[in-house]
Each structure stands twice: as structure tokens, then as C-alpha cells.
Amino acid sequence: MEQSQDTGNRGRVWILGLESSCDETAAAVVEDGRRILSNRISSQVEIHARYGGVVPEIASRCHLELINTLVEQALQEAGLTLDRLSAIAVSHGPGLVGALLVGVATAKALSYAIRRPLIAVNHLEAHFYSNLLSDSDIRFPAVGLLASGGHTALAYIPRPGEILQLGQTRDDAAGEAFDKVARVMGLGYPGGPEIDARAAEGDPAAIDFPRAYLEEESRFDFSFSGLKSAVINYIHNLRQRGGEENLPDLAASFQAAVVEVLVEKTIGAVREKGAATVLMGGGVVANSALRREMRRRLGEECPGVELHYPPARLCTDNAAMVAAAAYPQFLASNFAPLTLNAIPYLQLWAKP
Ligand code: KG4
Ligand code: ZN
């Protein structure tokens, strides 16, 4: 099919973004890559909370039931009809394959129906674009830290539209470690906000948990499974001896170990790359200690380097970031074919 590249919008670019990679179904319209006209999100977190984590098949079914309604709501809120859109963008990976396919199939059908280009967006890259939606004045080159429930990665972003992965987690994502540790502590799901709240009353130096910095060639990779096991062993040993854990101290000490590694490696990447800015994204960026420590240490060790992180509703999965990430691709006419597929293990790619 010939896809029309005529926006018909007198110079304005209106991109509809779709997101269904995990447990949030979302649709949004963004103007010129920056201005959010609508941002509809339906979270399944309460459904999955019963099981203590995301159940892939339930997630796919929920996406299928919700996505068309969300698209309608996003268009209505933006005051647009389908035929006025410039392009349709979708997260095609990484994520749960069945979940991703719902967004990909929907985006393909819409693109075909309205004869507008289809744009494939890397979900990890999209997280960094949340910053461009809330802060228009960002200096590049930047180092990006993504810390969410499914991913933890460091990236070098020389300019919008270009990204190079520096490292990623070898095992658990930072948010996953928060969720698993919270479960053993008897706290609810998702565990990150629960640990964050308990930690506020605790002593971060109470228990010396391990920090994995890894060997030199893996200096920008992460590993949180050793820390997670150390916390679980600590709790089990204590309980076996008839003791009871001090939840605030435990939460604060675990959190301090995660935050120290995230901050230290980000600062290492800033120095090595001579970055002007740090962009953070992902659900864990809501963590108060991470924000505080990143700001403090950048201020002390890398004066002049700016720190940006999105407001809470743009830290977690949303479709506005997908539409924003698609904008440079739209300008470069980098469109996807209608044979586009979901890629569950897609990484942050290196572009020239
Ligand atoms: O970005 P997100 O919605 O999920 C993925 O795309 O994977 O992030 C969810 C993750 C969960 O693991 C949750 O526990 C964590 O972000 N999280 C936090 C906080 N708020 C959410 N982790 C630490 N501190 C928080 N305040
Ligand atoms: Zn995400």
C-alpha cells in the first residue's frame, strides 16, 4: 500500500501514539513531538496485584478489550478525528509479546485505514522522550538512565532521534528488585512506593547490603539479583532466630544500595561521555532517594550538568512518550512497513 505522507494539517504534526507493552494500555496525541493534546492511560495494576505480578495472558486480554476505547477517548480529548492525524506510532518492543501485539495490530489497522504512515517506537527509548514533553529546554548530549519494573539501562543520547545503549541489567530490573524485596517484607504490590515510604523513617546505613559494580568492561551494566538475595537471606535468618525485622531500616538500607549503584554508574557515564544533561525515565524514577541523591551528587561531582526527570504520570508507561519518540522518525520519513512485528527482547539500538 502507498502510504500518504501528506499531513494535511498546515504544518502541524499530530501523532497518535499507542502503548501496550506491559500492564498499561494507553493512547495519546502529541503535537510536533512536544505538546500533549491528550494522554489516556488505563492501568491494570489492581488486576495483577492479586497475583503479585503481571500475568501476561490477562494483560493481553485487557489490552484487547480497552485499546479501541482509549484511542477514541484520546482523539476526542485532542479534538481531532482519525483522518486529521499525521501518523500512527506504536511501541513494538521490548515487552510481553501478546501484549505488544495488541498495540502493533491496532496501529497497523489504523495506519492502513487512514493511509497515514506507521512508526515503530522502541519502548525504552520512548521513556527518555517523556522529558521532552515536560521540559522543552534540554541540552544535549545527554546520558539517559532508565529504571522501571521491566528494564534498567544506561544510554548515550547525542541528540534527539539518536541513542546508543551503554549498558543494561544482567538479571533483575531495579523495579523488579523493589517489588520482590517488598513481597518478602510482607508489603503490597507494586513494592517500590511501599519501600520508598517505609525508608523515609529508616536508617540507610543500618544494614550494609552488597552493591554490584561489576568488572571494568561491564561498568555500565547492572545486577540486582545478588542484592535481592542478600535482603531475602537477611530476613530469613532473622526470622529463624526468632527476631523481627525493623522494616524502616531494612527498606532504607536496601533502597540506599540500589540508589547508590544507579547514581554511581550514571555519573561514570556522564564523565566518560562529557554529557551536559542526565535524563531519567521509568517508574523507579518516582523514588525520592534516587531523585535526591542524583541531584546532590551531580551537583557536587559534575557541576553544570543538568538533571531532568518527568512528572510521575509521565515516568510510568504512557503513550505520549511513544508519540514524542516517533516525531524525529516522522521528520526523517523513517516509516515502518505493514509487516511490522512485535520484538519482545528489543534493545536500545545504536544508530549512526
Ligand atoms: O515504568 P513502570 O510503570 O513499569 C515498567 O514499564 O516496567 O515502573 C513500575 C516499577 C515497579 O517495579 C514499581 O515498584 C517501581 O516502578 N516504582 C518505584 C517507585 N514507584 C514505582 N520504585 C521505587 N520507588 C518508588 N517510589
Ligand atoms: Zn516502561
Side-chain angles (χ1 to χ4, degrees):
M1 185 196 69
E2 272 296 300
Q3 287 183 334
S4 164
Q5 292 172 29
D6 169 26
T7 69
N9 298 329
R10 286 185 301 282
R12 291 263 153 85
V13 175
W14 290 322
I15 298 180
L16 172 71
L18 299 182
E19 164 59 44
S20 68
S21 63
C22 190
D23 59 346
E24 264 94 28
T25 323
V29 180
V30 172
E31 182 178 277
D32 296 336
R34 296 258 160 136
R35 205 174 139 233
I36 299 175
L37 300 189
S38 61
N39 189 20
R40 308 296 298 194
I41 307 168
S42 173
S43 174
Q44 306 166 12
V45 73
E46 278 171 28
I47 298 168
H48 298 288
R50 262 177 257 155
Y51 307 95
V54 179
V55 183
E57 190 176 326
I58 296 177
S60 311
R61 288 172 186 272
C62 288
H63 289 311
L64 202 56
E65 284 167 13
L66 289 166
I67 200 154
N68 287 335
T69 311
L70 285 160
V71 168
E72 274 169 30
Q73 290 175 347
L75 287 168
Q76 206 167 29
E77 196 180 314
L80 293 172
T81 45
L82 266 179
D83 58 310
R84 305 199 61 201
L85 293 172
S86 314
I88 314 286
V90 62
S91 277
H92 74 128
L96 302 167
V97 68
L100 287 164
L101 282 170
V102 175
V104 169
T106 306
K108 283 159 78 163
L110 289 171
S111 160
Y112 183 80
I114 65 168
R115 297 184 164 271
R116 289 288 187 269
L118 176 67
I119 299 176
V121 169
N122 181 318
H123 174 89
L124 306 181
E125 184 175 8
H127 269 294
F128 296 122
Y129 280 85
S130 285
N131 289 289
L132 272 72
L133 290 163
S134 45
D135 241 318
S136 53
D137 209 15
I138 290 177
R139 291 192 294 150
F140 288 87
V143 159
L145 171 68
L146 171 64
S148 73
H151 312 280
T152 299
L154 263 178
Y156 176 58
I157 311 169
R159 59 190 68 82
E162 276 184 40
I163 192 156
L164 182 71
Q165 180 166 300
L166 297 174
Q168 63 174 336
T169 183
R170 291 178 170 184
D171 38 61
D172 290 339
E176 199 177 350
F178 269 96
D179 295 338
K180 288 178 177 169
V181 163
R183 197 166 170 173
V184 181
M185 287 169 72
L187 305 175
Y189 172 86
E194 301 264 351
I195 290 186
D196 197 351
R198 299 289 184 306
E201 312 294 322
D203 174 8
I207 310 155
D208 189 18
F209 286 126
R211 279 92 162 132
Y213 283 105
L214 308 175
E215 52 282 9
E216 173 60 16
E217 61 275 18
S218 303
R219 64 196 178 286
F220 297 136
D221 284 337
F222 300 91
S223 170
F224 294 108
S225 69
L227 168 62
K228 178 191 69 187
S229 303
V231 178
I232 293 172
N233 288 341
Y234 176 89
I235 296 172
H236 285 168
N237 288 339
L238 197 66
R239 286 180 188 164
Q240 254 168 11
R241 282 185 269 123
E244 207 180 302
E245 60 267 23
N246 176 328
L247 281 186
D249 280 356
L250 195 56
S253 302
F254 160 74
Q255 181 173 275
V258 176
V259 166
E260 187 187 300
V261 172
L262 292 175
V263 172
E264 184 73 30
K265 290 189 180 245
T266 305
I267 287 181
V270 167
R271 287 213 172 108
E272 188 168 311
K273 295 289 173 189
T277 302
V278 170
L279 301 177
M280 300 203 291
V284 179
V285 172
N287 186 269
S288 54
L290 175 59
R291 292 177 176 204
R292 198 171 51 236
E293 276 300 290
M294 191 70 86
R295 187 166 298 289
R296 184 182 71 77
R297 291 206 37 206
L298 275 175
E300 282 174 9
E301 298 168 41
C302 309
V305 172
E306 288 175 8
L307 172 64
H308 296 267
Y309 47 80
R313 78 198 155 82
L314 293 176
C315 274
T316 50
D317 288 351
N318 65 86
M321 68 183 194
V322 176
Y327 182 66
Q329 295 198 58
F330 179 87
L331 296 181
S333 297
N334 184 15
F335 303 137
L338 285 176
T339 51
L340 179 71
N341 209 338
I343 307 180
Y345 297 104
L346 186 65
Q347 306 221 338
L348 281 172
W349 57 78
K351 284 191 218 155

